[in-house]
């Protein structure tokens, strides 16, 4: 699929195979579900071309056209493969203010370098755009803040939001998510120190369940807010939160 226009391309399933699977030169692409996108050419090559494709050997190629239209890439699922699975470049040497309109958000999916390729993801211009997914090479250069790349025994790398708490074997990337999931009698265990940066984002509990929060020697600090936790309402034995083994620090505007 060659996409040089200001439009929206939604891929939710099926298989797309070509020298390059999809080349986005403008517009939006959203990849989800069980879609398979595969580029078969080797190796990956990119050449300037004002009126045609530029990239070979890529599953999903991002190469802004000389028209300088915005490109927005969102991937939450599917499998993308090629000598380079995902490859963003600037073959037309467009100026920085035009390239700034190219954005990528990789939240999930599987990215495999195949046919002798060694790099699953490459970007000439974008950074901090990967928050989830599985990759055949380490994508650490492009990891978004709050996520991390974890090597697996099979040689792949799984990117996920950094865990701050867990309930049993289930991990959570925010303390609020863990609070919302906790059921009667369960224990939320902190796995790292937590900073609460805004009053509206203080961890909230409104009753109806009784559970324990084990800080495991970690701390929760309210940096710019008044409170780290807001506990409201809820009568009866099944409306309580027990804190233990840690430190709670109020914000500088607390009273």
């Amino acid at each position: 699929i060659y996409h040089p226009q200001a439009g929206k391309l939604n891929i939710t399933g099926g298989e797309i195979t070509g020298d390059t699977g999809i080349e986005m030169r403008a517009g939006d692409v959203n990849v989800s579900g069980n879609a398979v996108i595969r580029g078969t050419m080797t190796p990956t090559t990119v050449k300037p071309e004002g009126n045609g494709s530029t990239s070979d050997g890529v599953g999903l190629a991002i190469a802004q056209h000389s028209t300088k239209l915005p490109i927005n890439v969102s991937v939450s699922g599917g499998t993308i493969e090629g000598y380079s699975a995902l490859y963003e470049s600037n073959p037309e040497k467009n100026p920085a203010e035009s390239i700034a309109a190219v954005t990528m958000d990789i939240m999930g999916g599987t990215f495999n370098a195949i046919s002798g390729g060694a790099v699953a993801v490459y970007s000439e211009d974008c950074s901090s755009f990967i928050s989830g997914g599985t990759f055949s090479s380490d994508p650490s250069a492009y990891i978004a803040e709050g996520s991390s790349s974890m090597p697996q025994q099979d040689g792949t790398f799984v990117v996920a939001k950094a865990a701050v708490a867990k309930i049993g074997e289930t991990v959570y990337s925010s303390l609020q998510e863990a609070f919302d999931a906790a059921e009667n009698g369960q224990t939320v265990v902190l796995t790292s120190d937590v900073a609460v940066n805004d009053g509206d984002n203080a961890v909230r509990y409104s009753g109806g369940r009784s559970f324990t929060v084990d800080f495991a020697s970690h701390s929760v600090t309210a940096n710019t807010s008044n409170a780290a936790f807001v506990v409201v309402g809820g009568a009866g034995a099944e409306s309580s939160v027990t804190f233990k083994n840690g430190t709670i620090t109020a914000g500088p505007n607390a009273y």
Side-chain angles (χ1 to χ4, degrees), residues 45-155:
T45 59
V46 178
K47 62 183 185 302
E49 176 56 71
N51 190 31
S53 63
T54 68
S55 308
D56 284 324
V58 185
L60 176 57
I62 314 301
Q64 191 183 55
H65 199 282
S66 57
T67 55
K68 303 180 178 66
L69 293 172
I71 302 175
N72 299 294
V73 178
S74 175
V75 180
S76 59
T79 299
I80 302 175
E81 299 180 333
Y83 194 88
S84 302
L86 184 147
Y87 196 99
E88 183 277 324
S89 63
N90 181 16
E92 310 302 336
K93 305 303 178 187
N94 289 336
E97 58 267 25
S98 299
I99 288 296
V102 177
T103 66
M104 296 194 290
D105 187 8
I106 308 302
M107 301 165 285
T110 300
F111 297 78
N112 294 325
I114 60 173
S115 303
V119 179
V121 174
Y122 170 81
S123 178
E124 181 177 341
D125 304 291
C126 300
S127 61
S128 303
F129 58 86
I130 298 176
S131 59
T134 302
F135 303 81
S136 64
S137 64
D138 190 356
S140 292
Y142 310 109
I143 299 297
E145 183 177 357
S147 295
S148 59
S149 175
M150 297 168 285
Q152 307 296 299
Q153 289 186 349
D154 62 0

Side-chain angles (χ1 to χ4, degrees), residues 133-224:
T134 302
F135 303 81
S136 64
S137 64
D138 190 356
S140 292
Y142 310 109
I143 299 297
E145 183 177 357
S147 295
S148 59
S149 175
M150 297 168 285
Q152 307 296 299
Q153 289 186 349
D154 62 0
T156 63
F157 294 81
V158 172
V159 174
K161 291 184 177 179
V164 301
K166 64 180 182 178
I167 301 174
E169 297 302 316
T170 303
V171 298
Y172 299 89
S173 59
S174 77
L175 194 50
Q176 185 66 64
E177 290 177 345
F179 262 58
D180 292 342
E183 299 179 355
N184 284 329
Q186 291 187 322
T187 298
V188 175
V189 180
L190 269 67
T191 58
S192 67
D193 294 339
V194 177
V196 178
N197 294 311
D198 188 283
D200 291 337
N201 291 330
V203 180
R204 297 177 180 273
Y205 166 75
S206 57
R209 295 160 293 137
S210 178
F211 59 90
T212 298
V213 180
D214 184 352
F215 284 64
S217 299
H218 293 295
S219 64
V220 176
T221 301
N223 288 340
T224 59

Side-chain angles (χ1 to χ4, degrees), residues 233-244:
E238 292 187 351
S239 292
S240 66
V241 181
T242 301
F243 297 99
K244 67 179 185 179

